[in-house]
Amino acid sequence: MSDRSMESSSPNRFVNIAVLTAALGGLLYGYDTGVISGAILYLKQDLGIADNGLQQGLVTSSILIGAMIGALTGGGLADRTGRRKLTLIAAVIFAVGAIGCALSPNVTVIILFRILLGIGVGSASVVVPMYISEIAPAAVRGKYTSIYELMITVGILLAYIVDYGLSTLAAWRWMLGIALLPAVVLFIAMLTLPETPRWLVRDGRFERARQVLGKIHAEGEVERELADIRTAENRAREHSGWSVLTRPWIRPALIVGLGLTVLQQFVGINTIIYYAPTTLAKLGLGNSASILAEVGIGAVNVAFTFVAIRYMDRLGRKRLLFAGSIGMALSLFVLAVLTLIFGASGGTVGVITIVCLAAYIGSFAATWGPTVWVILPEIYPLRARGPAVGLATWGNWAANFAVSLVFPIILFTIGQGLSMLIFAIISALSLLFVSRFVPETKGRSLEQIENDLYSHVHDSPESRKISHS
Ligand code: BGC
């Protein structure tokens, strides 16, 4: 870890407030994606949706379609309008989406509002980690961006709890509508916060950038930080927006980003987050016991994210990813073998199954869950950050959508045991990807990481030719 980043290791109240506010976008992401698993049971009766039909699938997954749109458009918007403004726009979309879903008179309207909500979720998933990453001092950046993931897990848990609490009343409109509250809080609190210093430099507002840096860093550090950001900003001035993604020195980072986001979904996390009650009901648990067990899974998800918050800046991103790949592969492998030998059964096997499920969720939550969101805004240069993070985040949503669509079919065709085995193998392969491609970013400033990326590619003989062209 460099001396410079150590110097700025005492983040103050301003950074705490900025991080917690922006992370409300994560809470809304988690809540809005998690709430539907319980709400669907009641809204399909009210709105007359056929069981297992296309309409039901669309009500559930329309948010993912919207999120893909939001991630792609959000990347460009984050650069053009700024991180803060896009967060405000996302908050408005969250609010309108919540009201629209809650008041939907029929299935078409709810699908349209779920797509709108998805656009908010997708934009937030691009801009919130970026905002936090660009505000936080280098030495604690991992911890602070992990708080975004913590809020996602809290949002999912809250959704499970609200679903459970309101289930006896069948109050699906309240389940969906209550998300209005955090959206309003996010909007109002964000109004009081400034833009990130990086975006301000990009926008040519150096004096304002200096003021904001003054709130984050000790007095002696501000000028040096500002100078670093300006150097990075000048580097690729001639290329900005999507065209910068075609530059050879950005390519390795694109592979890392897309690989990480797609693998984060292909290890199968949302087959548990979205389908856990179904899996558990098959083990012989009753309906309400399954929903309660789901709350348990949500709690494990939250609890283990604290491990990441504690260790992200100490052990580094790569070590966490390694540990997570191993933990997920092992727990899924045992689950697969158990299911293949014993089928879905209760008793001791049922208990071991639940332990393995918890170990899998814990392994993900402490590692791949947060680390992917931490690394994304770190590995791209300032000039490319919006579109590049947008593209990688789109990959995450597209992979999420693909798994959600294909998983029920795979489950039906080859059964639970073999499906788990596939996810176990992908988890093991993710280890190879990390060791081959992912750089360690712990403790270095965003500009130092950018310098490395630039000089690494420009020093290779092959790229020397390219860079002079
Ligand atoms: C993933 C989501 C997942 C959540 C679970 C996030 O990092 O991107 O798809 O539902 O973690 O906590």
Side-chain angles (χ1 to χ4, degrees):
M1 191 183 290
S2 77
D3 296 345
R4 288 215 31 208
S5 47
M6 287 303 289
E7 279 169 26
S8 47
S9 62
S10 53
N12 49 30
R13 215 169 139 247
F14 164 74
V15 180
N16 288 339
I17 292 173
V19 169
L20 285 174
T21 301
L24 278 176
L27 185 101
L28 282 151
Y29 163 165
Y31 188 86
D32 284 327
T33 50
V35 74
I36 200 69
S37 66
I40 190 84
L41 301 173
Y42 309 101
L43 75 86
K44 76 181 179 200
Q45 283 165 11
D46 259 17
L47 301 182
I49 301 173
D51 233 6
N52 291 326
L54 177 68
Q55 284 183 333
Q56 182 173 336
L58 276 177
V59 173
T60 309
S61 56
S62 45
I63 198 162
L64 302 179
I65 298 171
M68 282 190 256
I69 303 170
L72 268 194
T73 51
L77 276 178
D79 277 1
R80 245 174 293 133
T81 65
R83 307 356 181 178
R84 174 178 174 271
K85 225 180 246 168
L86 183 56
T87 310
L88 287 169
I89 295 172
V92 172
I93 299 178
F94 278 126
V96 175
I99 299 172
C101 286
L103 300 180
S104 292
N106 58 44
V107 65
T108 312
V109 173
I110 201 167
I111 289 172
L112 290 177
F113 274 107
R114 293 272 298 163
I115 293 179
L116 180 73
L117 211 48
I119 295 177
V121 173
S123 320
S125 62
V126 170
V127 79
V128 170
M130 204 185 292
Y131 183 86
I132 298 177
S133 193
E134 290 187 348
I135 285 267
V140 286
R141 197 177 52 237
K143 170 170 136 186
Y144 278 105
T145 318
S146 299
I147 290 178
Y148 161 71
E149 172 73 14
L150 179 71
M151 293 293 241
I152 296 180
T153 61
V154 169
I156 294 173
L157 178 62
L158 278 178
Y160 291 167
I161 293 173
V162 169
D163 279 359
Y164 183 66
L166 295 179
S167 61
T168 44
L169 301 172
W172 65 269
R173 291 186 191 275
W174 283 100
M175 294 174 188
L176 300 178
I178 219 166
L180 175 65
L181 286 181
V184 171
V185 176
L186 171 63
F187 184 83
I188 295 174
M190 200 70 205
L191 281 178
T192 67
L193 290 169
E195 253 304 339
T196 74
R198 267 95 188 172
W199 190 80
L200 288 166
V201 167
R202 212 177 172 274
D203 201 39
R205 288 152 66 189
F206 306 120
E207 195 38 50
R208 181 73 182 124
R210 183 176 283 120
Q211 283 169 8
V212 179
L213 284 169
K215 290 170 188 270
I216 302 169
H217 298 280
E219 222 182 298
E221 291 173 52
V222 171
E223 289 309 318
R224 215 166 33 182
E225 283 283 334
L226 187 62
D228 277 1
I229 300 174
R230 289 187 70 165
T231 310
E233 161 62 10
N234 279 330
R235 174 172 303 134
R237 212 159 232 306
E238 69 281 16
H239 301 283
S240 64
W242 289 94
S243 73
V244 81
L245 300 190
T246 58
R247 306 309 295 160
W249 64 291
I250 312 276
R251 234 173 268 156
L254 284 183
I255 295 173
V256 175
L258 268 171
L260 282 176
T261 55
V262 168
L263 278 169
Q264 195 215 36
Q265 293 300 321
F266 280 4
V267 296
I269 183 65
N270 287 320
T271 65
I272 308 288
I273 297 286
Y274 300 165
Y275 294 97
T278 325
T279 314
L280 294 167
K282 281 203 189 117
L283 291 176
L285 294 181
N287 264 356
S288 67
S290 299
I291 298 181
L292 252 192
E294 185 176 54
V295 173
I297 285 178
V300 171
N301 199 15
V302 173
F304 276 83
T305 309
F306 282 101
V307 176
I309 291 178
R310 191 169 163 77
Y311 290 107
M312 189 69 69
D313 294 312
R314 296 188 191 178
L315 295 177
R317 290 47 163 162
K318 267 186 106 159
R319 283 203 191 127
L320 283 189
L321 290 172
F322 276 140
S325 298
I326 295 169
M328 290 188 297
L330 284 179
S331 47
L332 284 174
F333 185 72
V334 177
L335 265 177
V337 171
L338 279 183
T339 317
L340 286 172
I341 297 176
F342 298 103
S345 50
T348 317
V349 176
V351 172
I352 303 178
T353 304
I354 290 177
V355 170
C356 284
L357 268 181
Y360 168 70
I361 296 288
S363 303
F364 177 89
T367 64
W368 276 77
T371 310
V372 168
W373 301 116
V374 169
I375 290 187
L376 272 195
E378 294 181 333
I379 52 171
Y380 299 113
L382 182 54
R383 273 273 147 188
R385 198 164 292 148
V389 173
L391 184 68
T393 306
W394 171 84
N396 189 261
W397 288 109
N400 189 343
F401 184 65
V403 174
S404 308
L405 208 67
V406 173
F407 176 64
I409 303 171
I410 301 183
L411 198 61
F412 182 75
T413 323
I414 61 173
Q416 190 138 326
L418 287 178
S419 313
M420 299 244 172
L421 199 59
I422 294 179
F423 291 128
I425 292 169
I426 298 176
S427 301
L429 291 177
S430 68
L431 194 106
L432 298 181
F433 179 83
V434 174
S435 81
R436 168 88 178 77
F437 292 108
V438 179
E440 183 53 77
T441 50
K442 153 185 109 148
R444 291 146 76 214
S445 76
L446 295 177
E447 290 65 39
Q448 289 165 335
I449 299 169
E450 179 168 339
N451 280 340
D452 280 2
L453 178 71
Y454 190 72
S455 45
H456 180 69
V457 176
H458 281 71
D459 283 349
S460 73
E462 186 205 350
S463 58
R464 240 174 262 140
K465 271 186 265 149
I466 300 168
S467 63
H468 290 125
S469 62

